[in-house]
Amino acid sequence: MTCNEIDQNSTFYFSHELDAQQSADFLAHLENCPSCAGKVRQQQELDHLLRSTVLSQEMDTRALEFRIRRELTTAPQRRIVFPRRLALIAAGLVLVASCGLVSSDWLRATREASAICADAIVDHRVEVTENAPKKWTADLELIAAISQKTVGAGINPEQFAPSGYHFQRARICSLVDKRYVHMVFSNGNQEISIFLRTRDSGALQALSWWNSRRLYQDVLGNTNVARIDGRKFSFVIVGDGAIPVSTLANDVAGRG
Amino acid sequence: MRESLQREAFEELAIPHLQVLLRIALRLTHNYAAAEDLVQESMLRAWRSFHQFQPGTNIKAWLAKILLNQWNTSLKRAERDKASVELNEEVAPPVEWLRNAHLETVDVMRAIDLLLPEYRVVLLLTVIEGFTCKETAEMLLVPIGTVMSRLSRARDQVKKYLNSCANASSKRANYSYDL
């Protein structure tokens, strides 16, 4: 093997892509050529530095894993649908639509609310229940300044503390693609999350009404979530166990 | 029922590779939230194509290929996101990690991030994640020779950058010694 071939083959050698004869030739050349041996050693040192640096960067994938698993439960695998089945499905849809039982706005809004609530559950579980390290603040002035910048209104979290709860900390987060103020409140025993943003112009329709406010509710395992619109803000409330998130939602919505 | 068994099989095979995918996605997008989104979309695509996966073959390479395709698609759809990092909370994890790291670590990461995307992705796949050149060529749909030349250029540019960092820090050290 020549020096030029060593240059070309060193990567193949270390990724075990050379056959036995080529590997033997490669090693034999290195034994007799200090220059090539030096270059190969330098390359290995550089590769080791790059690899060890990048691999030492640990990343918390729990939230991502949770979102992926949840999405997989609702996403069907692609299937080959036979024409007859297609025709049956199409007929069924026409029948249902013609009965006026389906509102496209309702479906779209429900899907959006569901996605927002799913994201909120993930954030609550990972960042509050499991205490994943995140940058929180309890500085009310800072929260007002940051929330003014990110959600368009200066927020005082204490204004939104439900009865029996006290403000603990807050941070800015994203649910789906929208910025929210994530506030944590405690009643001494448990912590709840309240996510807030200024209300969008196209308010989400809901499955039920609660004291004339639009409410969407869901549950995942032991975690309950409710999404509600107030006059000025939209809220998502997340709590574990028997916490009555619907009642809390109505309480909070009345304050904003 | 059958689909839920398929899903369990997919999760068992694919979920363990989330760290690898996220690592690649982060070095491609330079944005933690965008990287997570990229991985999430890629996993969904992988699930929908799971019937095409041949059991016993390299699932990591298969997933990485889907991720790279997804990334290329997003690059074609929109301009490459070079959004400024203005104390964005969602970028927090890698930035917080780098804040506590030694200078050399920051320099190494920067050296990688400064590479052109086509060089960076080859470096990531071969040197960092350990894919063979043949696997990398198949994933990127380029000849092996192209992989080799891009890898060589990537290494040269990284070396050049790190040498300049080393020179800069030795000058700083000499200056402080003189004080």
Side-chain angles (χ1 to χ4, degrees), chain B residues 20-172:
Chain B
V20 171
L21 296 177
L22 188 58
R23 210 162 37 227
I24 296 172
L26 186 57
R27 296 272 67 81
L28 293 176
T29 60
H30 299 152
N31 178 289
Y32 201 83
E36 284 196 328
D37 286 347
L38 179 58
V39 172
Q40 190 170 338
E41 284 167 24
S42 304
M43 289 291 269
L44 194 57
R45 281 193 178 273
W47 161 238
R48 290 190 174 134
S49 309
F50 191 47
H51 58 284
Q52 297 173 357
F53 173 70
Q54 294 172 16
T57 58
N58 190 338
I59 182 96
K60 190 170 89 167
W62 185 70
L63 291 169
K65 184 174 181 179
I66 292 173
L67 183 135
L68 290 170
N69 286 342
Q70 189 64 24
W71 179 60
N72 277 329
T73 304
S74 66
L75 282 185
K76 281 172 190 163
R77 249 194 268 125
E79 279 183 15
R80 189 176 312 163
D81 181 11
K82 289 182 183 173
S84 59
V85 179
E86 40 163 7
L87 295 178
N88 184 342
E89 298 295 329
E90 303 310 316
V91 183
V95 172
E96 279 175 349
W97 171 77
L98 286 173
R99 276 186 198 141
N100 296 325
H102 298 294
L103 183 61
E104 295 82 10
T105 305
V106 173
D107 293 332
V108 171
M109 300 298 273
R110 185 111 179 102
I112 297 171
D113 289 344
L114 283 174
L115 292 171
L116 287 176
E118 54 265 38
Y119 299 164
R120 192 179 338 130
V121 73
V122 167
L123 189 82
L124 286 172
L125 294 175
T126 55
V127 172
I128 310 298
E129 301 300 342
F131 289 107
T132 64
C133 297
K134 183 166 177 264
E135 285 169 339
T136 303
E138 283 167 1
M139 276 191 263
L140 299 177
L141 299 174
V142 297
I144 276 192
T146 304
V147 169
M148 300 308 296
S149 67
R150 287 180 184 175
L151 181 57
S152 176
R153 296 287 293 274
R155 282 183 174 130
D156 286 343
Q157 289 186 8
V158 165
K159 259 190 295 192
K160 193 174 165 185
Y161 181 81
L162 291 179
N163 279 336
S164 69
C165 289
N167 288 337
S169 64
S170 74
K171 279 181 187 165
R172 280 197 295 273

Side-chain angles (χ1 to χ4, degrees), chain A residues 1-4 6 25-41:
Chain A
M1 210 174 262
T2 65
C3 293
N4 205 32
I6 288 291
D25 291 343
F26 180 84
L27 289 173
H29 183 97
L30 291 188
E31 278 176 22
N32 296 310
C33 182
S35 172
C36 283
K39 282 184 194 169
V40 168
R41 191 176 54 250

